[in-house]
Amino acid sequence: MFGENFPRVAASAPAARHLVQRALLTWGMSLDGADVVVSELISNAIRHAEGEGMRVSVARLDEAVVRVAVIDRSSTAPALQHLTQDSETGRGLWLVESLSAAWGVHVLRGGKCVWAELREAGA
């Protein structure tokens, strides 16, 4: 498993993507959409969470599945938004849902963990 703490600032998104890429490279995996998924999870934590920091983790569940998770200090769970053509925001979780095999939220004492599972193509 790979994990790292990040400040809750926009500059953390590229560093979190690098963490995921480093894990995938170590495991010899290629996952379409992994960069987008981690970017969206990080963006939600930056925009909606509380506190100064967050934790990103990447775990290999089996030969073809990886779980990316972001832990923050807000207990408010994200939810898919009703979108219209004119909606300017709210598409992030729709992207996560469309690119992931599964995603969800675990409420923790003092925060939450938002996770997404990604599967290698053809697996």
Side-chain angles (χ1 to χ4, degrees):
M1 175 170 9
F2 288 72
E4 197 169 323
N5 294 324
F6 294 98
R8 209 169 51 81
V9 297
S12 294
R17 286 192 298 270
H18 180 72
L19 173 72
V20 172
Q21 291 167 356
R22 192 172 72 228
L24 296 177
L25 182 62
T26 298
W27 297 324
M29 299 178 78
S30 175
L31 297 173
D32 291 337
D35 285 351
V36 174
V37 168
V38 73
S39 293
E40 292 302 333
L41 295 181
I42 285 284
S43 293
N44 278 346
I46 290 168
R47 189 171 202 189
H48 301 291
E50 301 164 1
E52 294 180 12
M54 60 192 157
R55 179 155 185 85
V56 177
S57 66
V58 190
R60 188 171 185 181
L61 302 183
D62 64 30
E63 299 84 30
V65 179
V66 168
R67 177 178 280 188
V68 176
V70 176
I71 298 170
D72 64 48
R73 296 182 193 264
S74 170
S75 59
T76 303
L80 293 170
Q81 302 294 312
H82 174 75
L83 299 175
T84 66
Q85 283 185 309
D86 298 331
S87 297
E88 293 183 13
T89 62
R91 289 177 174 75
L93 285 179
W94 288 104
L95 286 169
V96 170
E97 181 162 286
S98 68
L99 294 170
S100 303
W103 76 276
V105 181
H106 297 295
V107 176
L108 308 170
R109 185 178 182 156
K112 68 176 172 304
C113 172
V114 183
W115 57 269
E117 293 178 359
L118 299 148
R119 179 176 300 277
E120 266 191 311

